[in-house]
Amino acid sequence: MFRKILLSVICASFLACSMTACGKEVELKEASDDSSASVNLQAGEYVNFTAPEKGEQIVIMTIKDMGDIKIKLFPDLAPTGVKNFVELAKQGYYDELIFHRVISNFMIQGGDPKGNGTGGDPAEGITFEAGDASPYLTHVSGAVAYANSGSTATNGSPFYIVTGEKYDDSSLSQMEQAYGTTYSDSFKELYKTIGGAPWLDGSYTIFGQVFDGLDIVYEIQNVATDASDKPYDAVTIESVKVAEYDGGELKWYISDYTGQ
């Protein structure tokens, strides 16, 4: 298992350089009766799965020939990250860009106009200060965050969506020792039952969570790739739109992908 962790560390370096079967709803503890109060919660609550409210601003990412990925945003916890993504989306910045890096058991990465992980600027007038990594959000499957060069000050337009894998108590304990960190019981439960990339917590700016279309995220991560993890056949972001949540049925679907 620790060999898997070492492999995960290698995968994380790539990133820096640039509960159940599918169809079943996952019932998680409500983070708060009032989503606006989420910033006051104790770190480790299931904030990632706070339901969007009717009229709340969300993102709809349409993937060519695949469908829509709907993302809840966290403006209270990642104000700069959300503002940056929303501004770029409104400009059409992400339209027709590709997912240039896809790593099984880890994540899918896109949003770079160069298509190779070396480009991508933030919206005009926006910079990311240290500390933009919120302790209230975790790299569970479906989390959306910015790729960077090892510092939140280098965030730009590139982003990734976590797929990850499930971890047991032993492997999580090994990670805590390796990284000198402590995962809350709530976070551990998510990593054991849903999966994710726990070693990234605290180092990258999470600003969203997929609440519908996670099956499409997994479909993307299973495409064939070359030696640099770039899909042979382009996976294209047709458009990224900012919309108001219409209050429809929530689909916190978790794929039957296990990554084990």
Side-chain angles (χ1 to χ4, degrees):
M1 180 61 71
F2 195 65
R3 184 179 179 183
K4 284 188 177 182
I5 297 173
L6 292 177
L7 178 60
S8 297
V9 175
I10 295 173
C11 290
S13 68
F14 277 113
L15 186 64
C17 294
S18 48
M19 253 151 142
T20 54
C22 183
K24 291 185 179 179
E25 279 190 51
V26 179
E27 295 184 1
L28 297 173
K29 183 172 64 175
E30 287 292 331
S32 173
D33 292 332
D34 178 5
S35 61
S36 66
S38 60
V39 73
N40 296 319
L41 294 176
Q42 294 297 312
E45 294 291 329
Y46 295 135
V47 179
N48 286 64
F49 295 94
T50 308
E53 297 181 353
K54 185 174 182 179
E56 181 178 323
Q57 187 172 255
I58 64 169
V59 164
I60 302 176
M61 183 180 297
T62 301
I63 310 302
K64 187 176 181 180
D65 299 325
M66 292 186 181
D68 292 341
I69 297 172
K70 297 181 181 180
I71 300 169
K72 175 186 170 59
L73 301 172
F74 299 100
D76 290 339
L77 299 175
T80 306
V82 169
K83 182 179 180 181
N84 183 62
F85 198 83
V86 167
E87 289 298 317
L88 292 176
K90 287 181 176 179
Q91 296 170 19
Y93 187 97
Y94 291 113
D95 299 356
E96 300 302 323
L97 298 188
I98 63 171
F99 280 95
H100 61 272
R101 181 168 294 137
V102 173
I103 302 179
S104 182
N105 296 0
F106 185 24
M107 59 90 214
I108 63 175
Q109 185 175 335
D112 174 16
K114 291 185 177 181
N116 59 14
T118 64
D121 296 319
E124 184 176 356
I126 292 180
T127 57
F128 289 80
E129 300 299 332
D132 277 347
S134 172
Y136 298 95
L137 298 169
T138 186
H139 281 83
V140 70
S141 296
V144 188
Y146 286 104
N148 59 50
S149 301
S151 166
T152 56
T154 62
N155 287 349
S157 65
F159 65 90
Y160 59 93
I161 305 177
V162 177
T163 55
E165 61 182 317
K166 297 176 184 178
Y167 292 89
D168 58 22
D169 285 318
S170 176
S171 58
L172 288 170
S173 294
Q174 290 177 30
M175 281 191 217
E176 288 180 320
Q177 294 175 14
Y179 295 105
T181 189
T182 301
Y183 300 115
S184 69
D185 290 341
S186 298
F187 281 4
K188 286 181 180 179
E189 187 64 23
L190 289 176
Y191 286 129
K192 289 189 293 182
T193 57
I194 294 178
W199 69 93
L200 297 180
D201 282 352
S203 299
Y204 297 87
T205 305
I206 301 171
F207 63 92
Q209 176 74 32
V210 174
F211 69 89
D212 195 356
L214 190 60
D215 55 329
I216 295 174
V217 175
Y218 287 131
E219 183 179 350
I220 295 171
Q221 86 135 25
N222 288 326
V223 302
T225 59
D226 62 19
S228 64
D229 301 310
K230 186 173 184 176
Y232 286 112
D233 297 322
V235 179
T236 303
I237 301 171
E238 190 171 296
S239 67
V240 177
K241 303 296 184 184
V242 180
E244 289 186 358
Y245 178 56
D246 61 8
E249 179 184 1
L250 287 171
K251 298 180 180 178
W252 296 107
Y253 288 151
I254 303 302
S255 170
D256 58 355
Y257 166 79
T258 62
Q260 301 301 319

